[in-house]
Structures are given as C-alpha cells and as structure tokens.
Amino acid sequence: MNKRKRIAAFLTFVMVLLMLAACSQNNGSGPAKNSGSPNVKGTNSESASEPVTVNLFAGTSSFNGNLDSNWFTEYAEKNFNMNINWITVPNTDVATKQPLLLASGDYPSVFWAGSFSNEDLLKYGQQGVFVPLNDLLKAHAPNVWNAIENTPALKQGIIAPDGNIYGLPFYNYCLHCYYSSKLWVYKPFLEKFNLSMPTTTDEFEHMLEVFKENGILPLTGSTDGWNSDPTTFLMNAFAYNDGGSFLRVTDGKVELSAIQDEWKQGLEYMNGLYSKGLISSAAFTQTNDVLSKQAINHEVGVVPWGCMNCVVGADHMSDIVNWETVPPLKGPNGVSYAAFSGNGVSGAVFAITNKAAEDEKIAVMKMLDYIWTTEGTTITDYGPEGEYWTKAKDGEKGLTGNPALFDINFQPPTPFTWGWNQLGPIYQSEEWRNSIVAKPPFSADGSGSEALLQYYTEKDYKGKQPKEVVPASIWIDPKDSQSYSLLKTNINNYVKQWTAEFIVGNKSISKDWKSYVDGVKKLGLDQYLSITQKAMVKPFDTSGFQRDETVIQNLESLK
C-alpha cells in the first residue's frame, strides 16, 4: 500500500471510529451483539500502525465471485486494520488440496473456509500444526467463547478430548433443516377426493391408493435432492432412521437400526407399497429436474424434500401454499419418529496454523468476535444495510414471535459481491435465525416460505425425535481413524444397497434377511459400534427441541 493509500485508509478509519463513538453514546447499555459496527477497541488500528497482513485459505464456488473486491472484504480490512490475502481453490478441490498443503509444510497461516474432520483436527493439533484456540478466544473473541459455552451443540462438538479447540465450524441453527426428512402432499388432491391428512401407515397407504385410482402418481422421489428419498420418512414409522448413519441409542447403548426386526417390518411395508405401484419405480433413479416438473405440473400427490420451495423453484413460489407436510406416521407397533439432524456440529472449516504470527492471530480473532454477533453475522453474510437486508420495522415479529431485528432477502444473485454469505466460520445462531422478520407463511405469492417451513416443522416434526441420539461429533483416535472411516463407509453403503434391493423386490425379505444381517456383521459391525460407543462419551440430549404451541399460534396469526 503506498503512502497516499495509507493516509486515505487511516482517515477513513478515523471516521469509522467517530461514527462508532456516536453510536455507542446513543446505545446506552445495549449489548455488543446489537451494534451495527464492530467494536474495534484493542486492534492495531489504535496506534495507527501498518495493517496486519492476514492470509486466508478458502474453498470457494462461482457464487463467491472475486473475494478481493467483495464489499465485506474491504469492510473487514478497514475496520480491523488488516490486508486480507486470499488463497482460494475451487471448493470441489479442497479435499485434495488441503492434505497436500499440510504434508508439504508450505501451508497457509489461516484456513478460513476449509474442511476438516474431527480426526484431522486431532491429528494436526497433536502435531502442533494447528494452534489451540482456547486462550485466543477468551482474550480476543469473547463473543465466540460465550457462544461456545452457551450452545450445547457447539460445546459438545468442538472441544477435543484433550480440552483444546483446534477449529471452528460454520454454525447454522436451522430448525427446518434439522427435520428435513419431510413428505409433502398436494392439498387440493386431499380436498378433491375428500381425504383427511393420514396419521398412520394404513391411512397413508389408502391415500396413495386413491391417488393412483384417479390417475395421479402417488409417491415418488429422486436421487440427488435434499432428503428426496422417501424411505427415511417411511422407515421412522417402524424403527428410528436418521437418514445417514442408521445408528440409534437405546438406554445409552449405540445400535445399528438397520439390522433390527423393526427395520425388517419397515422394509416389508415399503416393499408392499412398491409392489402395488404406490411408490414410483423412478423414485430411486430419477433426478431432481424430473421430480420438480412432476410437482409443478401436479402430476404427483406426495414428494419427499427438505423444503417445498426448493422443489417448485422461484418461478412457482405461489404454489408452495398448496403443499402441506405429512406428520410422522404411526406404525402398527405405535412407533412414530421424526428424523433429526440437529445433533450438533462435527469437524471445522476454520483453523489457525503454526505459520501465523501473533498479530495475525489477534486480528483474525477480533474479526471473528464481530462476525459472531447477530448484526455482524448479517453484515458478513449479506453486506451493508439497504442492499439485501434492512432493519425490522417496529412491531414486526420474528419466526418465534419475538421482536424481529432484520428483514433479509434470501435470494442473492450469483456471483454475490456484497458479503461472504456462509463462507467460513460464520455463526448463524438461534437468536439470529429467530430475529428474521417472519412474513405471513401462507402468502399467496410465496414470500413467506421461510415462515412456512418454520410453521410446519414446529407443528408436525419438532419433538418427535428420540430423546437421545448419537452426537454428530465423535472424536476418533487418529490411529484408528482410517480403519473406522472404512468400516463406516462399507457398512453404510451396504445398508443403502440392500435397503433399495429389498424395497424393489430384487432381494426377498423373507428369504434373504438373515444373509443381509450376517453380511453387515462380517463387515466389522461389532468393531464399528465399539469404537463409536467409546468415542461418543455421551449421547446428544434432544430435550431442548420440543413443540411450542405459542410459536405455532403466532405464525398462524400472521396475515
């Protein structure tokens, strides 16, 4: 930076400080999290020193565009007296580039948007490559430290067995994401054929039969959608299926759901639906674009997907109010679960290496401290107020009925040049999420899609998960990580393959079930469960996720 630019940057920064001072005088005792600009007290800017060069590695996509000219990059540089040197690779290359960089010894000082498993964090932490963050966070990023201490999903997920924090995740509290194994039914069909919303597996089968009799494709799915496989939802009427690891916790003990007798009953039910033509044969082979067309053209009665607005797309948003979620069905034995993925965080996107100078570490921590506030999160994601977000108006409510803070446009363009939208260790907290203005969920134009997802999740799914589940974050000893990963991959792939074969009838449930179970065991099931049990320490307690009638009533009242 030449002398003229340094003077200009300094004058700009002085103006920012004066603005901050004015804001703080008008803010009384308001908490830092509601401040519109970062609290830069204690940064290198106080002494008008040269900006600190911060080297940030990031895996990016076309959405991120050129980070050097991104508005928030310039904002961070000005407000935290730093020069950001971006080292970017396509995010599809991160998995191969990271280990090569770390093995070469020529790695960056800060991984901002990388991808590290818990095993990676332990390995590089024990080698001294990754710097423990505990003391840095306490000293220079109290907002981050307090978030970790007060968010069970974070605290259980990111503290290694040795007590150190070696990395930070991208944290996104998203209630409707945690219950993304949903089924959506086209309501006009229910009304046309005088059908009630099904509550049991028998009632659900009857509804599908009526659809088929009237020339409607009853139920389908796709191979590349967000929980667009209907089997996860349907299995939860028989045995708990998390849709990923197929694990469950019974009296504190980890078990594989996929070899239990209840799982076999669920397969028999789904095979029955398939053999009657009630589950489309294309459900396990077709892609999203086909499924979307079927939903948009109202050719299908029931579709699985995490969000219905994702299925119909921006051009058909007005149609989402015609689709309603099917609550978890009750099976013949009274089982009725909702698949749950709010069981914490695992791994990290952010780590500081032993290449980082002390002033670089401190500068990054101070930036993080601002980013991990409600308004800091908004500005980091979406840029300056007035572009893709505005402050809420007096009287506007958030998703849970609380006073709203922000009105956000969730459809930014590509490339997005204003903010780092979800790039790196962003903290989209429960408070932040619930402070977004809730638009009427049943708006005719579909503008209330976020509130609609919140409404159906709260009404139909929240609280129907098991009391305890396997946490997302378990810490495998690095010496066991390779063998454990292989065990997990082989067992999960085997279960997925045989589940599909049983449903479509390529394998006989009555004749081949024992061979299937024996096959799972031969893949090292006992060892896999033993390692998981030991690494789990304790199950994830889901008691904090219970249905709230007040939230439901508030969303229903929005007009």
Side-chain angles (χ1 to χ4, degrees), residues 150-167:
N150 296 301
T151 309
L154 278 172
K155 191 169 186 178
Q156 185 171 353
I158 69 175
I159 299 178
D162 62 7
N164 286 321
I165 297 171
Y166 292 111

Side-chain angles (χ1 to χ4, degrees), residues 244-262:
S245 68
F246 310 112
L247 296 174
R248 70 182 187 185
V249 177
T250 304
D251 297 327
K253 183 181 179 182
V254 178
E255 299 176 332
L256 187 71
S257 277
I259 61 168
Q260 309 302 323
D261 288 341
E262 308 96 280

